[in-house]
Amino acid sequence: MNFQHFILWLKAPIKMTLILTMIKKAVIPVAGFGTRFLPASKAIPKEMLTIVDRPAIDYVVQEAIAAGIEHIILVTHASKTAIENYFDRHAELEQLLTQKNKPELLERLQVIPSHIQITSVRQGQALGLGHAIYAARHLIEPDEAFAVLLPDVLIAGDHADLKQMMQAYARHQAAQVMVETVDANRVDQYGIVDVRDELQPGQSIAMQGIVEKPALDQAPSQLAVVGRYILPGQIMQILADTPAGQGAEIQLTDAIAQLDQVDAYLMQGQSFDCGSPLGYLQAIVHHAHQHPTFGAAFRELIKHYNHE
């Protein structure tokens, strides 16, 4: 073996590692009934409620695509066909807009790039988040890492937090859980992570565990789980063997606790809990402020109401 061949041989394992850690799939569980949004969610999936001019689920899918995801797996329910229809083509409407010479509307209608694959799988019973993720097991290889994005959480900002989590997984070969700092009086509303060292925004470090909704005096930190995960494919086999826990449901956190190493990633952007009506309204106000077309007019409208 000459020197040049030797160098190529040394580089080969590194190159293979990078290939194996490329993350191209994301699982988004959308099977829940959204009872906090009744009566609206009786007829409309809560994920299809609009944030300004786009349904909430579109923001989550676009976040995944921006991070490099190419295959979106929606874990859905029979009552959620509106979500599947939204991401499907509407040939008749496209033809109508073409005939009426409305290219701007036609462009807005085509929300998903052609190279993106969207697959829907059904969750037969609502048996917890872990059970929902497990419903996608036939689409995830045992050695394939994948992302999980909870649709109730919208992430705003230009920090590419999900992509940075994917890069952290490639560096550390450890599952990643996104967290954010919450006020002390709110720790009992979230899963709180236990970390030994100080965590800076955009940084990922090993954690010791997650405590579900602890009292303030028992909380290991003020770092709350946000709803974004990077998980190894082996989590599917762990979920298969995970017994039902709190609420007679298969909990994702119980399965994550069985992984050899899990890192907490502290987000840099801003999150909105669109699973609650108030969080949903906050997301609308934020995105209306930032809207490229009528953001300025909306800000003036808010000023008007503030002065009444």
Side-chain angles (χ1 to χ4, degrees):
M1 180 183 295
N2 61 34
F3 180 75
Q4 185 177 8
H5 288 166
F6 178 70
I7 294 298
L8 291 174
W9 178 81
L10 283 176
K11 291 181 178 180
I14 299 173
K15 187 175 182 180
M16 182 59 68
T17 299
L18 292 175
I19 291 173
L20 289 175
T21 53
M22 288 178 65
I23 299 167
K24 294 299 180 183
K25 295 178 182 177
V27 176
I28 305 179
V30 294
F33 287 112
T35 54
R36 286 187 287 180
F37 282 91
L38 287 170
S41 57
K42 177 183 177 182
I44 304 170
K46 63 182 175 63
E47 297 85 1
M48 289 299 295
L49 295 175
T50 55
I51 305 294
V52 188
D53 56 355
R54 289 192 287 148
I57 186 63
D58 192 22
Y59 289 86
V60 179
V61 169
Q62 297 299 337
E63 176 192 352
I65 293 173
I69 296 296
E70 297 180 356
H71 187 178
I72 305 292
I73 303 167
L74 299 173
V75 181
T76 185
H77 181 269
S79 64
K80 299 295 187 84
T81 54
I83 298 175
E84 300 173 28
N85 292 339
Y86 177 78
F87 291 112
D88 199 1
R89 289 191 60 185
H90 194 314
E92 184 179 0
L93 181 56
E94 290 177 12
Q95 183 179 6
L96 178 65
L97 293 175
T98 301
Q99 291 172 349
K100 291 182 176 294
N101 193 27
K102 295 185 176 181
E104 293 182 1
L105 285 178
L106 183 61
E107 184 179 358
R108 290 177 63 189
L109 192 66
Q110 297 165 344
V111 295
I112 299 298
S114 59
H115 71 284
I116 300 299
Q117 178 183 0
I118 295 187
T119 303
S120 295
V121 297
R122 293 285 175 87
Q123 183 187 14
Q125 294 178 279
L127 298 177
L129 177 57
H131 182 263
I133 303 305
Y134 186 65
R137 62 192 179 280
H138 60 291
L139 297 171
I140 305 293
E141 298 295 331
D143 60 351
E144 180 182 33
F146 64 101
V148 172
L149 293 83
L150 302 192
D152 285 348
V153 179
L154 265 58
I155 305 294
D158 299 323
H159 301 288
D161 281 310
L162 183 63
K163 187 171 185 177
Q164 290 197 49
M165 283 180 70
M166 293 160 62
Q167 294 170 346
Y169 181 93
R171 290 194 305 270
H172 304 163
Q173 292 297 294
Q176 304 290 314
V177 176
M178 187 182 289
V179 299
E180 66 177 341
T181 304
V182 297
D183 294 336
N185 61 356
R186 297 172 60 207
V187 295
D188 60 352
Q189 302 174 33
Y190 301 93
I192 303 296
V193 302
D194 183 2
V195 291
R196 294 287 182 259
D197 300 315
E198 184 177 354
L199 188 57
Q200 299 297 326
Q203 184 183 8
S204 176
I205 62 173
M207 68 183 194
Q208 280 62 52
I210 301 174
V211 182
E212 286 294 338
K213 299 180 179 179
L216 177 58
D217 60 351
Q218 298 177 345
S221 72
Q222 291 177 227
L223 298 174
V225 176
V226 173
R228 300 292 186 270
Y229 309 83
I230 306 296
L231 301 173
Q234 72 182 91
I235 197 76
M236 294 298 187
Q237 184 55 55
I238 296 174
L239 285 168
D241 300 327
T242 299
Q246 184 178 4
E249 297 182 338
I250 298 173
Q251 302 294 338
L252 181 61
T253 51
D254 291 343
I256 290 175
Q258 298 182 54
L259 294 171
D260 292 335
Q261 181 180 334
V262 182
D263 291 354
Y265 169 86
L266 182 56
M267 66 179 299
Q268 302 171 86
Q270 181 179 3
S271 74
F272 296 94
D273 178 11
C274 292
S276 72
L278 180 58
Y280 170 70
L281 292 173
Q282 290 172 333
I284 291 176
V285 172
H286 173 86
H287 286 87
H289 265 270
Q290 306 298 322
H291 198 279
T293 302
F294 47 79
F298 180 79
R299 291 191 291 272
E300 288 300 317
L301 180 64
I302 293 297
K303 288 180 182 178
H304 170 75
Y305 279 105
N306 285 339
H307 286 96
E308 282 191 347

